Amino acid sequence: MIVGVPKEIKVREYRVGMTPGGVKKLVDRGHKVLVETKAGIGSGLSDDEYHAAGAEIVKDIQTIYGRADMVVKVKEPIEPEYDLIRENQIIYTYLHLAADETLTHKLLERKCIAIAYETIQLPDGSLPLLKPMSEVAGRMATQVGANTLEKENGGKGLLLGGVPGVRQGRVVVLGGGVVGLNATKMAVGLGAQVSVLDVNLSTLNYLDDIFHGRVQTVYSDSESIRRYVAEADLLIGAVLIAGAKAPNLVNREMLRSMEDGSVLVDVAVDQGGCIETTKPTTHDDPTFVVDGVVHYCVANMPGAVAHTSTFALTNTTIAYAAMLADLGAEAAARKDRALALGFNAYKGKITCLAVAEAFSLECSDLGQLLGK
Ligand SMILES: NC(=O)c1ccc[n+]([C@@H]2O[C@H](COP(=O)([O-])OP(=O)(O)OC[C@H]3O[C@@H](n4cnc5c(N)ncnc54)[C@H](O)[C@@H]3O)[C@@H](O)[C@H]2O)c1
């Protein structure tokens, strides 16, 4: 199969769909990989590295879409890419179609095979291709929170780890899933005093076990949230209810109970946020202040650490990319149920229920389309 890796053209997107290691894996299996020149530059990866891994470097995005059987990306295709997509071409990337009606119709019109990273789902319900970005965002949440607590950045001028004789910072993490666990690891590493609130007792058990009592685990309800939020120097929003808007757990009154110069990082902002005053911000202008509390609510946090994110992403996407390249889309979907769930559109038909429901479209059964 010919696999194409274009340079991302969405504004301020520095990640790329494949590392040189990923290229080598496909080339070693007998596939041809085209990489657009400078595709990896934002992630610190040069054309020479891709070439050494066996890629053919091509000069423009038209050549990638024109020659590739499968295009591997990070972000959803945007307007200049729409008409480059060819019939039967596999588009393998984050798509978030339920939030983008125009793109949904375009992909149907182009009769491509659109496979979304975010809906590939393992039998236990987990979303393996979302996990690496949650790991990155969770770790970043503590890092940007610590930084924002500095006086120059609007914070109260507090060092999270304290020093001997001076109290540590109090970090409160709402939600102990992937983001929450990673934020907690970093906060513990910095020497902060950390509390994690979750409604899932197994999650609290797990956190209690792995942190050997170093972290306070708390069952999450409105009273415990009220109590812990009031004391937080750094509050991290990391809740998720799969497929739903994030629940609003911290209201304005609770926010007012926080000290001036405290910081909140609402990582769940991409699902609407779990704090009443959250609104999405960008890396250009990441923070704003409400009631004396500095809010950091960037919806695409991993974009800021493109090098790490590109590697973390390829580590998880490459196995499915290899399966698609080896077997073709149809046989790969028949073989792997998790991958089949990633098929959002197949040759002009919607095959993902959530996307169909979002725009009142008909949902076709992929199994039937493939003649199972
Ligand atoms: N801003 C970004 O750049 C970025 C990047 C990656 C992920 N995210 C977002 O971060 C959020 C968390 O993702 P995740 O991968 O950690 O999800 P996850 O499913 O692993 O964890 C979510 C946790 O929230 C808990 N939870 C649910 N309701 C709760 C409540 N009322 N109180 C306390 N905890 C509750 C769940 O039990 C679960 O443990 C998601 O909205 C995700 O989209 C944002």
Side-chain angles (χ1 to χ4, degrees):
M1 189 181 272
I2 301 182
V3 179
V5 183
K7 182 168 164 52
E8 293 295 326
I9 53 175
K10 198 162 179 175
V11 176
R12 293 177 75 87
E13 179 53 65
Y14 301 112
R15 291 170 292 176
V16 60
M18 204 178 290
T19 57
V23 168
K24 177 136 181 29
K25 179 165 178 149
L26 295 184
V27 170
D28 285 349
R29 297 164 92 94
H31 304 294
K32 182 159 196 59
V33 183
L34 313 176
V35 175
E36 186 182 345
T37 182
K38 298 195 168 59
I41 220 81
S43 296
L45 298 165
S46 67
D47 286 356
D48 286 349
E49 287 172 83
Y50 282 105
H51 182 70
E56 178 185 335
I57 308 298
V58 304
K59 65 175 180 3
D60 55 30
I61 195 166
Q62 285 77 11
T63 311
I64 296 284
Y65 279 91
R67 286 177 57 197
D69 303 304
M70 170 163 71
V71 176
V72 180
K73 278 173 58 62
V74 179
K75 298 301 283 186
E76 73 282 359
I78 58 173
E79 218 260 312
E81 291 169 288
Y82 290 167
D83 292 338
L84 300 176
I85 299 171
R86 290 184 297 115
E87 195 169 334
N88 299 339
Q89 190 168 47
I90 301 171
I91 306 293
Y92 178 53
T93 188
Y94 286 120
L95 284 170
H96 297 289
L97 285 188
D100 193 341
E101 190 166 8
T102 310
L103 176 62
T104 302
H105 286 293
K106 268 292 162 192
L107 293 176
L108 292 175
E109 212 179 287
R110 303 305 296 175
K111 294 195 166 60
C112 65
I113 302 170
I115 305 174
Y117 292 162
E118 72 276 6
T119 63
I120 292 178
Q121 189 171 28
L122 295 172
D124 66 1
S126 62
L127 304 166
L129 274 55
L130 275 185
K131 192 173 176 199
M133 293 306 108
S134 285
E135 290 169 340
V136 170
R139 289 178 186 219
M140 256 189 90
T142 303
Q143 186 171 305
V144 296
N147 198 254
T148 310
L149 275 166
E150 290 175 19
K151 203 75 190 163
E152 290 299 324
N153 299 325
K156 59 170 78 165
L158 182 119
L159 183 64
L160 271 189
V163 288
V166 184
R167 80 164 177 93
Q168 305 152 292
R170 286 181 287 257
V171 178
V172 173
V173 183
L174 295 176
V178 181
V179 169
L181 168 65
N182 282 278
T184 301
K185 275 187 186 164
M186 295 292 274
V188 168
L190 285 175
Q193 184 187 317
V194 190
S195 309
V196 185
L197 287 79
D198 203 298
V199 286
N200 186 329
L201 288 176
S202 311
T203 299
L204 295 180
N205 271 311
Y206 176 69
L207 292 168
D208 187 61
D209 281 348
I210 63 165
F211 289 109
H212 303 290
R214 172 71 180 76
V215 164
Q216 180 74 54
T217 58
V218 183
Y219 184 78
S220 170
D221 58 31
S222 56
E223 258 326 291
S224 56
I225 293 174
R226 181 184 307 280
R227 214 169 47 250
Y228 278 86
V229 164
E231 292 186 351
D233 299 303
L234 170 59
L235 175 65
I236 296 176
V239 302
L240 176 68
I241 298 178
K245 198 179 165 306
N248 190 349
L249 299 180
V250 179
N251 61 28
R252 192 74 187 253
E253 184 204 330
M254 295 181 197
L255 187 78
R256 285 199 197 102
S257 72
M258 294 175 76
E259 275 181 10
D260 280 1
S262 300
V263 171
L264 69 82
V265 178
D266 197 351
V267 186
V269 58
D270 62 334
Q271 304 294 331
C274 59
I275 293 155
E276 188 182 335
T277 42
T278 291
K279 58 176 181 353
T281 58
T282 61
H283 290 294
D284 282 334
D285 190 11
T287 59
F288 59 94
V289 179
V290 180
D291 292 337
V293 178
V294 188
H295 292 48
Y296 176 101
C297 307
V298 174
N300 66 330
M301 293 171 67
V305 287
H307 180 81
T308 305
S309 300
T310 289
F311 278 85
L313 187 61
T314 297
N315 288 347
T316 55
T317 55
I318 195 67
Y320 293 111
M323 204 187 295
L324 287 162
D326 289 353
L327 304 173
E330 289 75 9
R334 281 195 205 97
K335 183 172 174 202
D336 192 296
R337 172 80 189 139
L339 175 60
L341 290 170
F343 282 55
N344 279 214
Y346 182 80
K347 301 184 181 177
K349 304 237 186 326
I350 289 291
T351 49
C352 171
L353 188 59
V355 178
E357 282 178 352
F359 308 121
S360 306
L361 295 168
E362 189 192 331
C363 185
S364 303
D365 181 76
L366 182 68
Q368 276 180 4
L369 292 179
L370 300 183
K372 244 201 263 181

